[in-house]
Amino acid sequence: MKETFYKYYKYCVLTLVIFLGLASFFTNIPPQPSDTLFTQILSFFNLPNFYNSIFHIILWLILASILLYGIIRIKNFTPSLKFLFLLIIILIFSIIYEKSVNKNYTVNLRTGEKITLKQLNSTRADSFNIQLHDFQIKRNSREKVSVGSESKLILDSKDTISISINDPIQYNQYKFYQQSYHLYPQINLKINDTILIVTAPDTISYDNQEYAIQPINQKYTRFRIKSDNNHTSLIKNQPVYFESNRFQIVKGEIIKESLIQIKEIQGTKLVLFLLFIYLFSLAYALWGKK
Amino acid sequence: MTEPTVLVVIVCLYLFSAISDYYKDTSYNSKIFVAGFIIHSLLVIYRVVKTGQPPFIGLYGNLLLLPLLIVFRLVFWQNQFSKFIRRSAKIFALLILGAAILLPASMKQPQTVKPALKSIWMFIHVPAYFLGYMSIIIALIFSISILMEKNNDKQVRKKLCTEVKISFFLLNFGMITGAFWAYQSWGNYWSWDPKETWALINILILSLFFYEPNLKKRAWIVVFTFLSILFTFLGVNYILPGLHSYL
């Protein structure tokens, strides 16, 4: 009995290890256009998307059934070990449930911008507005390095919450996290007498000619303007003649965009609680009374 | 005295102790080894004070801390280990310190800590892994001694099992505290990030140890776990991009 359990446990764990290991490499490979044997094998095992595949879930369910076999059939397993196995089985099912019902959304908002939950998930009944009221980047006073960021959100047009990195806020069945931010330099570019608003890096069209505008430095004070054959540097308020046109940055500002993650949290706390209990049961199974 | 010079002095003390150990085991060797340990500890403390960062930030800091933990075990629990284990552990510590010396100067500079890392969980999750790695290195040395048939008695079996138990628990503890931290910082307790996936792989491989009746096969499981941990610790950071690319 015990040998059968060991044998199946070993095979199942080794299969899981091989597929998890392979998937960690192939998840980073973009889909290949050609229909080679290699890509056929990849798609057969769904390796680039293995973690979300039914094959992956089946492997964990097989492991759960092997552990269940251990609980029911093997008499000389200690009660603490059987409890640990039971807990792992419950954990496998609750994680599969939690991952399948909950969705994550990442939204990019600029100050004043608004989005509704219905836009993110049309199936949700409890839709409400999310508006970015204010966004601040905290910097180290000495080195001017970013040490964090904070978003003030108005939810459902009435409740104001403030989130920062490592300090999320729960609202109804959602958790709001400050994930990161983007900075976009927005410039008013004057070409001869025409003013264009450009969020660099971008490509603009003027007089049937395409020009790429790219920031050169991180402070966004210098830009490179590039045509098909030529390029030059552009500094704020300093006109530059480039390919018979006069270019000048007349106004420049940095647009901040907050990256906020909204996560549905149905059953998440139960999983975390089970993980906590698992640690204690593991310690007891390893060192407790036999 | 500059930091690299101090590091070379520590390596010389450990090396002298390891070589003298090979010929004659005297209290004199032990004293030299303890002196190396004290200077090593002071160097780590000096770096913590100088950089204002915990010692496990950055690859260089990691390569200084891990051998210190191994040496700590050897100094305070020296009666637990046979001569072969003590010598091998010293060689391991020396190899890791050698790698620290060979790192390019740019990697030895203190790094800016990312905002998401500034959390109390960093002081629970990361040290748990380091202690787990220390135990798996000791278990690896026991396994090598078993595979080389240096010592296969009941005592060695018991000690190997104790080290694996400590390591298995700490790897689990590190992973679960990491899940709590990830839930707080990223909103997801588990993201199938390459580091997370490989942390789970390490635990799965090591779990086979408890079900394997054959001692040599158990020793091989520890060797494979060590190789898998080595890949998780270094390989994942440089080959597989993900949320954990901090080294």
Side-chain angles (χ1 to χ4, degrees), chain A residues 245-263:
Chain A
N245 290 313
R246 185 180 185 272
F247 289 82
Q248 188 186 356
I249 295 172
V250 287
K251 191 186 162 196
E253 59 180 334
I254 293 166
I255 303 290
K256 292 181 278 187
E257 196 174 77
S258 174
L259 256 79
I260 297 159
Q261 196 181 68
I262 306 165
K263 192 182 180 294

Side-chain angles (χ1 to χ4, degrees), chain A residues 27 32-33 78 115 166 171 181 193 196 213 248-249 266 274:
Chain A
T27 308
Q32 305 293 311
T78 58
I115 196 164
N166 286 334
Y171 185 81
Y181 61 87
D193 293 321
L196 297 171
I213 314 282
Q248 188 186 356
I249 295 172
Q266 211 179 319
L274 288 172

Side-chain angles (χ1 to χ4, degrees), chain A residues 6 9 13 21 24-25 51 56 85 98-99 104 147 165-166 175 177 261 263 268 272 278-279 286-287, chain B residues 115-116 118 165 169 172 176 180 183-190 192 197-198 201 204 207 211 231 240:
Chain A
Y6 292 158
Y9 180 84
V13 162
S24 72
F25 284 91
Y51 305 122
H56 183 210
F85 282 1
E98 197 271 347
K99 288 279 176 198
N104 289 338
V147 289
I165 288 173
N166 286 334
K175 208 143 191 180
Y177 296 85
Q261 196 181 68
K263 192 182 180 294
T268 309
L272 293 172
Y278 164 79
L279 268 184
L286 289 171
W287 293 291
Chain B
K118 288 175 182 164
K165 274 182 182 178
F169 179 75
N172 273 280
I176 288 166
F180 280 93
Y183 176 67
Q184 194 194 56
S185 297
W186 301 326
N188 241 337
Y189 60 90
W190 194 263
W192 292 113
T197 307
W198 278 89
I201 288 173
L204 286 172
S207 73
Y211 306 119
F231 180 72
L240 304 171

Side-chain angles (χ1 to χ4, degrees), chain A residues 194-250:
Chain A
T194 314
I195 292 181
L196 297 171
I197 299 169
V198 184
T199 306
D202 200 1
T203 305
I204 54 160
S205 186
Y206 181 81
D207 206 12
N208 296 327
Q209 175 68 48
E210 299 257 297
Y211 296 102
I213 314 282
Q214 297 162 340
I216 295 176
N217 59 357
Q218 285 195 331
K219 287 181 179 172
Y220 302 117
T221 52
R222 288 168 66 92
F223 293 84
R224 180 180 287 117
I225 182 157
K226 233 169 123 180
S227 68
D228 291 338
N229 316 313
N230 224 336
H231 67 88
T232 190
S233 293
L234 207 55
I235 301 170
K236 196 179 169 187
N237 293 327
Q238 289 182 16
V240 168
Y241 286 89
F242 179 63
E243 295 191 341
S244 68
N245 290 313
R246 185 180 185 272
F247 289 82
Q248 188 186 356
I249 295 172
V250 287

Side-chain angles (χ1 to χ4, degrees), chain B residues 136 202 205-206 220-230:
Chain B
I136 202 76
N202 298 336
I205 298 175
L206 198 57
W220 277 115
I221 290 168
V222 174
V223 173
F224 284 118
T225 309
F226 172 76
L227 293 175
S228 168
I229 285 177
L230 197 64

Side-chain angles (χ1 to χ4, degrees), chain B residues 50-61:
Chain B
K50 190 179 135 192
T51 60
Q53 289 174 357
F56 37 76
I57 299 280
L59 184 59
Y60 181 64

